[in-house]
């Protein structure tokens, strides 16, 4: 990775049944996080390791920590966390990477 | 991500003191995993989220699950796990991503 750049990732599991309309609706809403200014290289992924219980992942990159902070404070992000994430995600882990 | 492709990631913490020669030596050895056939987009990273205790990360990609399996079974990988990982890594989590 380039210096200063941050890759923000989160692996998660939903409370919804696999393949349900509720799952699809949550993932559609999560994909709209890509529209928040500063978000780059956005990916909504399947988590496929048998060594943990997470089923999905989101990966996004920011040019620097300031851009990451602006994302965290953006009203669309705060609204998504409050209205969707808190009630529809059962387990998650956030892991953020930068150049060494 | 492209269909069939797998991104294998592991976040980890070492038993070694931060900035020590032992830490440097482990990370040097970890970087040589990039030489194993099939490994693409190898990155040795800093884990920077305050929301977990991991300090480093490795990310690599494989063209498909078969290439990932060959990596797992490669003698250089098995040797690294047995001779270094088991005794020098205190905590870790493996998270693997693929296209949805």
């Amino acid at each position: 990775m380039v210096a200063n750049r941050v890759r923000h990732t989160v692996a998660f599991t939903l409370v919804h049944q696999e393949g349900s309309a509720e799952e699809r609706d949550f993932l559609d809403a999560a994909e709209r996080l890509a529209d928040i200014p500063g978000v780059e290289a956005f990916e909504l992924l399947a988590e496929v390791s048998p060594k943990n219980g997470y089923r999905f992942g989101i990966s996004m990159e920011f040019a620097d920590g300031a851009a990451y902070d602006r994302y965290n404070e953006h009203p669309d992000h705060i609204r998504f966390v409050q209205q969707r994430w808190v009630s529809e995600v059962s387990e998650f882990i956030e892991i953020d990477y930068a150049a060494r």
Side-chain angles (χ1 to χ4, degrees), chain A:
Chain A
M1 292 182 69
V2 178
N4 297 323
R5 201 162 179 84
V6 181
R7 182 180 303 148
H8 168 52
T9 76
V10 55
F12 61 98
T13 306
L14 296 175
V15 299
H16 305 305
Q17 199 171 356
E18 197 171 328
S20 64
E22 291 78 9
E23 176 187 273
R24 182 66 257 165
D25 189 65
F26 179 90
L27 297 175
D28 286 348
E31 274 186 324
R32 291 196 288 276
L33 294 171
D35 299 332
I36 296 176
V39 173
E40 300 175 30
F42 182 93
E43 295 175 300
L44 177 61
L45 301 159
E47 202 294 316
V48 296
S49 172
K51 299 182 183 175
N52 70 63
Y54 303 112
R55 290 198 49 238
F56 301 102
I58 293 171
S59 179
M60 61 183 80
E61 294 188 8
F62 298 97
D64 53 31
Y68 186 12
D69 290 344
R70 284 192 295 273
Y71 164 81
N72 273 325
E73 295 156 10
H74 193 282
D76 290 352
H77 175 251
I78 291 172
R79 194 176 304 117
F80 176 77
V81 171
Q82 290 177 342
Q83 296 185 350
R84 309 298 304 257
W85 191 269
V86 167
S87 57
E88 297 178 61
V89 170
S90 51
E91 283 193 276
F92 70 98
I93 181 170
E94 292 180 74
I95 297 180
D96 295 344
Y97 292 118
R100 289 192 59 250

